[in-house]
Amino acid sequence: MKHSIVCLGEILWDSMPAGLFPGGAPYNVAYHLKKLGENVKIISRTGNDDLGREAIRRAELNGISAEYIQTDSSLPTGFVEVYLDGKGVPQYNIKKPAAWDEIVLSEDVKKILNEADAVVFGTLAQRSETSRNTIQWIKHADCLKVLDLNLRPPDDSEKVIHSSLEIADLVKLNDDELNVLRNQYQLPEELKSAAETLSEMFKLNAVCITCGGDGAFFLNSGEWTECSGNRITVADTVGAGDAFLAVLVSGYLNNTPPEMLLNLANHLGAWVATQNGSTPHYSVDSISGIKNLSLYPEKIID
């Protein structure tokens, strides 16, 4: 079943050793949701420049509606320098300011958010007041609110983290981000207890924690599910978590059994890590078709 899903936040270009790739977590999630057959839109903002026009062209070529990608007359399209270590793990130099810092809350934006079955949002795009106000407005929308806790110091404000958790129904975070929350909220060290405490504090329906090669963990309405990691040859891990999240959201909306959902999400995330960039080409005829994407047994993501 198709759902109307809105991805709200940054759209940008990742400058990587292998080339220039369209990116930004909301764009990446939208790309993979479209591959999974969902009806997806992205709300963002680009500059009135060649990179902005190319970002819109790429989105449309991939079947993602660009109707709600705004154009800024003065700020440039987002740009990130990505540095990879020997294991393909990235460090980011995120340029600021960028057009996605000024996503405007128009009546059209309110309308499309109100019509959505789910909205995916993150913390990074809330580094500026304008985009933060637009993103925080989703607390008024009657839909599933999915928080991707993408913490990128220095844009990891405790205030933004707190207000975003207050809005969310489902939260996805990685083990490093969980450690940040442990310090902020004195969460237990044990993984399940930490997820349960976080869920109780913010009245969350679900908490999903990804741990790279150590697998993924999902607390959904009090039910705890675990999934082991995959052995792969890593090209880079940029966007692997976004691919994971796309499967998680689609499967959650379609009531996919938690164990199956977690395994499929982990598989697509691992497969993306074997490729260059966050949005490699692939084709699946259903969410279960993800298992047909081949993984090469070499080493574990860590």
Side-chain angles (χ1 to χ4, degrees):
M1 179 179 175
K2 282 189 177 183
H3 298 88
S4 176
I5 304 173
V6 175
C7 297
L8 171 57
E10 68 273 16
I11 188 169
L12 47 82
W13 288 88
D14 287 322
S15 177
M16 302 174 62
L20 202 59
F21 298 90
Y27 175 80
N28 297 340
V29 175
Y31 173 89
H32 293 290
L33 282 168
K34 185 64 180 180
K35 290 288 188 183
L36 297 174
E38 298 291 1
N39 178 12
V40 62
K41 296 179 175 65
I42 184 167
I43 299 173
S44 189
R45 193 173 181 93
T46 61
N48 184 20
D49 49 29
D50 288 340
L51 286 178
R53 286 182 283 275
E54 182 61 16
I56 290 171
R57 190 181 79 89
R58 295 285 185 97
E60 291 176 335
L61 284 173
N62 287 307
I64 303 167
S65 172
E67 182 179 357
Y68 301 97
I69 299 179
Q70 304 165 3
T71 301
D72 195 287
S73 60
S74 57
L75 292 173
T77 298
F79 195 84
V80 179
E81 295 171 346
V82 183
Y83 303 93
L84 303 175
D85 67 14
K87 297 179 180 179
V89 177
Q91 293 291 325
Y92 303 97
N93 179 17
I94 305 172
K95 302 296 184 179
K96 64 166 52 174
W100 54 264
D101 287 314
E102 297 296 322
I103 303 170
V104 175
L105 180 62
S106 65
E107 291 304 313
D108 283 345
V109 166
K110 291 180 182 179
K111 182 175 184 292
I112 200 64
L113 290 173
N114 273 323
E115 293 173 349
D117 294 312
V119 177
V120 180
F121 70 105
T123 48
L124 176 59
Q126 298 184 61
R127 69 182 185 179
S128 72
E129 183 178 4
T130 303
S131 291
R132 181 167 62 252
N133 289 340
T134 298
I135 291 170
Q136 298 263 336
W137 187 88
I138 67 173
K139 63 189 174 187
H140 301 294
D142 183 19
C143 64
L144 177 71
K145 301 168 185 74
V146 181
L147 171 61
D148 178 18
L149 202 70
N150 48 353
L151 304 182
R152 301 284 184 268
D155 301 312
D156 53 354
S157 157
E158 290 188 0
K159 183 178 178 180
V160 168
I161 292 171
H162 189 86
S163 59
S164 298
L165 286 167
E166 288 184 319
I167 292 170
D169 301 308
L170 186 160
V171 174
K172 193 276 288 182
L173 67 164
N174 63 32
D175 46 354
D176 290 332
E177 291 157 348
L178 178 60
N179 284 332
V180 173
L181 296 193
R182 280 196 179 101
N183 292 331
Q184 185 168 338
Y185 297 111
Q186 291 76 54
L187 301 179
E189 281 299 316
E190 199 270 326
L191 206 62
K192 182 181 177 184
S193 298
E196 289 172 338
T197 303
L198 190 66
S199 178
E200 290 168 6
M201 288 180 67
F202 292 98
K203 298 179 174 60
L204 302 169
N205 296 340
V207 177
C208 188
I209 304 164
T210 60
C211 299
D214 292 326
F217 306 84
F218 191 34
L219 179 69
N220 180 25
S221 300
E223 180 183 351
W224 182 250
T225 306
E226 301 185 2
C227 169
S228 60
N230 292 288
R231 302 190 66 85
I232 62 171
T233 301
V234 177
D236 66 70
T237 62
V238 178
D242 303 328
F244 180 104
L245 181 57
V247 180
L248 184 70
V249 172
S250 180
Y252 188 87
L253 289 171
N254 283 292
N255 297 312
T256 304
E259 185 174 0
M260 178 188 299
L261 173 55
L262 210 56
N263 275 284
L264 290 171
N266 208 43
H267 192 98
L268 184 59
W271 181 81
V272 167
T274 70
Q275 311 295 307
N276 289 314
S278 56
T279 54
H281 175 74
Y282 64 97
S283 179
V284 294
D285 54 12
S286 68
I287 192 171
S288 61
I290 291 168
K291 276 294 184 183
N292 295 326
L293 298 172
S294 178
L295 303 179
Y296 298 97
E298 293 280 341
K299 65 179 180 180
I300 293 177
I301 304 175
D302 55 20

